[in-house]
Amino acid sequence: MESIIEVRNLTKVFNSRGRKITAVNDVSFDVNKGEIFSMIGPKGAGKSTIFAMMTTLIKPTSGSIKVAGFDAGNEDDRIRPIIGIVPQKLSLYPDLTAMENLELMGNLYDVPKKVMEERIGYYLKLVNLENHADRFTGGFSGGMKQRLSVISAVIHDPQIIFWDEPTTGLDPQTRQAIWKLARKFNTEGKTLIFTTHYMDEADKLCDRVAVMNTGKLMALDTPLNLKKTSNSASLEDVFIHLTGEEIRD
Ligand SMILES: Nc1ncnc2c1ncn2[C@@H]1O[C@H](COP(=O)(O)OP(=O)(O)OP(=O)(O)O)[C@@H](O)[C@H]1O
Ligand SMILES: [Mg+2]
């Protein structure tokens, strides 16, 4: 199995009003090329902090991350063009239309105009927003915003997509649509890395699941093996077993 991401002894300590918070504590793992990988764990487990380091938004305190062979922190300019990020808090411009939001992203990544037009047309159709291209996104529903954010993160055709809680707060139908899209990207050869607190999604849709708790990696395996190892019937049970926490929603 070829690795596309290598995380080694990764630690992040925040200084918050004189107090040190170890958000990520000596974590090591690989993400395989072409897999759907997810991170689960209670609030404050360190999932978003790992994401921020993998996507070059913040620097590790110690340890290292290689993304497609490039070192996060030292070769960020090489990493940024090959990754797409759908953040936990969506970042669309409400005073721009859907089309303008997508063009803005495409221009940020220097996507050639013709290629961009083709991709935008293709993706808008894929998420059923082709009739809303000229509407301001400020008036969009939550599900429409989520769908647009997802495609705005792939306008530059990244190899790896990072998705922080892509389906939180969405209705079941929109969650399904988002997942269909994720699988579609995966069949195009993209590696997907996301966080979720919907255990059923992680169970059904992911090749491997990493369980985080208080900055530590507690387990990493296929959903099936995680269930076998802790003698659990569901990922919910695995989660409770490893973290001592109930599922929040
Ligand atoms: N910029 C920051 N400054 C100080 N502390 C931070 C900062 N960012 C995160 N933390 C702390 O680091 C820890 C891990 O936070 P993180 O956001 O990575 O958790 P998470 O697993 O993504 O949680 P959630 O499920 O709520 O999204 C928490 O204790 C959080 O308060
Ligand atoms: Mg988070």
Side-chain angles (χ1 to χ4, degrees):
M1 208 54 95
E2 193 186 337
S3 298
I4 196 156
I5 297 186
E6 296 168 9
V7 175
R8 294 291 176 270
N9 305 105
L10 186 67
T11 295
K12 180 70 190 182
V13 181
F14 288 111
N15 284 307
S16 180
R17 287 187 231 108
R19 247 176 13 105
K20 280 187 193 299
I21 298 167
T22 305
V24 176
N25 190 352
D26 194 19
V27 167
S28 300
F29 63 89
D30 282 20
V31 177
N32 298 324
K33 194 169 183 189
E35 77 175 334
I36 305 186
F37 182 99
S38 82
M39 241 177 238
I40 62 175
K43 216 173 154 48
K47 305 179 298 293
S48 292
T49 305
I50 293 188
F51 261 48
M53 291 189 281
M54 291 200 286
T55 55
T56 76
L57 298 176
I58 61 171
K59 285 191 196 311
T61 305
S62 60
S64 68
I65 306 175
K66 283 220 153 106
V67 180
F70 301 116
D71 187 41
N74 291 313
E75 296 176 292
D76 294 354
D77 292 351
R78 307 297 296 274
I79 296 174
R80 284 177 192 147
I82 57 170
I83 63 172
I85 308 170
V86 189
Q88 195 166 354
K89 287 202 182 96
L90 301 181
S91 54
L92 294 169
Y93 293 91
D95 299 336
L96 296 183
T97 65
M99 180 63 86
E100 287 166 344
N101 267 284
L102 294 170
E103 285 171 351
L104 186 76
M105 284 303 278
N107 287 331
L108 277 179
Y109 285 104
D110 288 326
V111 180
K113 197 166 186 300
K114 194 154 184 314
V115 177
M116 176 155 72
E117 276 169 9
E118 274 168 23
R119 271 194 207 138
I120 289 178
Y122 169 78
Y123 282 130
L124 280 174
K125 255 204 204 108
L126 191 67
V127 297
N128 293 322
L129 287 175
E130 71 267 36
N131 297 326
H132 303 278
D134 298 323
R135 278 181 56 193
F136 297 114
T137 60
F140 276 17
S141 71
M144 289 166 83
K145 281 184 193 155
Q146 182 62 263
R147 271 144 53 209
L148 187 65
S149 297
V150 169
I151 61 172
S152 78
V154 295
I155 267 332
H156 57 299
D157 195 26
Q159 294 178 38
I160 312 169
I161 302 173
F162 290 90
W163 240 343
D164 203 351
E165 305 207 12
T167 53
T168 299
L170 299 177
D171 60 90
Q173 209 185 337
T174 311
R175 280 170 62 189
Q176 257 186 357
I178 295 287
W179 277 112
K180 217 171 124 192
L181 205 55
R183 280 213 216 94
K184 164 102 183 134
F185 292 149
N186 189 238
T187 58
E188 287 173 358
K190 299 185 194 308
T191 305
L192 278 128
I193 306 174
F194 62 91
T195 71
T196 183
H197 61 259
Y198 295 115
M199 301 295 139
D200 55 329
E201 291 185 347
D203 196 347
K204 266 189 280 181
L205 297 151
C206 296
D207 296 306
R208 292 190 307 147
V209 176
V211 186
M212 294 282 306
N213 195 24
T214 57
K216 286 268 182 198
L217 179 64
M218 311 297 288
L220 168 58
D221 215 327
T222 61
L224 189 66
N225 284 341
L226 285 173
K227 286 183 278 190
K228 269 192 197 150
T229 307
S230 67
N231 214 354
S232 303
S234 67
L235 264 197
E236 254 118 47
D237 290 342
V238 173
F239 183 90
I240 294 165
H241 178 80
L242 288 171
T243 68
E245 300 251 355
E246 295 292 330
I247 313 289
R248 79 203 153 91
D249 214 49

